[in-house]
Every structure is written in structure tokens, then in C-alpha cells.
Amino acid sequence: MALPQDAIPVEIVEVKSTKTGIHGEVYQVLCKVMDGKDKGRVIRRNVKGPIKKGDIILLLETEREAKEIKAR
């Protein structure tokens, strides 16, 4: 699989304990943007699949941010 040329690397800073999704397969994480116009910014995103602190993932865009999930 080819990587998109405009993908932006981000480092996972914190994995929130809250899982979301119908089956609990989506984690909410805080990630620090490592490159691009938002370099240094920490954003909240939803990530599907296994993830841990320190992992590097590629995002197609860094403008959107996930809403915080609150316990009911």
C-alpha cells in the first residue's frame, strides 16, 4: 500500500481509557503533530485498532479534532 504524499506524522502522547464505537474498538488519543503547519500542536483524535503511547501514525489532515467522550 502506497503512503499518501501529504500525510502528516503525529506521535501518540496519551491514550485515553475511554473506548468508543459500537464494539469498543476505537480509542481516543491525544497526539502531537510532528510536521506541517500545525507542528507542535496537541490534538484529540479517534483511532481504530491497537495503539500505545509513543506510536507514530500518519494523518491526512490535522484541522479536525474529536470531541471529548464523557461518561454517562
Side-chain angles (χ1 to χ4, degrees):
M1 183 171 135
L3 296 175
Q5 294 298 325
D6 54 350
I8 302 160
V10 297
E11 179 182 2
I12 304 300
V13 177
E14 181 182 346
V15 178
K16 298 287 188 175
S17 60
T18 308
K19 292 189 205 177
T20 187
I22 295 172
H23 302 288
E25 73 279 11
V26 178
Y27 292 89
Q28 194 161 76
V29 299
L30 291 178
C31 46
K32 183 175 183 179
V33 180
M34 300 170 64
D35 198 11
K37 66 177 182 160
D38 292 324
K39 184 176 180 176
R41 182 174 167 215
V42 176
I43 59 175
R44 182 182 299 113
R45 294 296 292 255
N46 294 329
V47 179
K48 186 171 182 178
I51 196 88
K52 64 184 183 301
K53 184 177 177 179
D55 283 354
I56 306 289
I57 60 174
L58 297 174
L59 298 179
L60 295 178
E61 54 87 21
T62 57
E63 289 81 27
R64 284 188 291 166
E65 190 167 344
K67 293 180 183 176
E68 186 174 1
I69 298 173
K70 296 188 171 134
R72 294 180 185 197

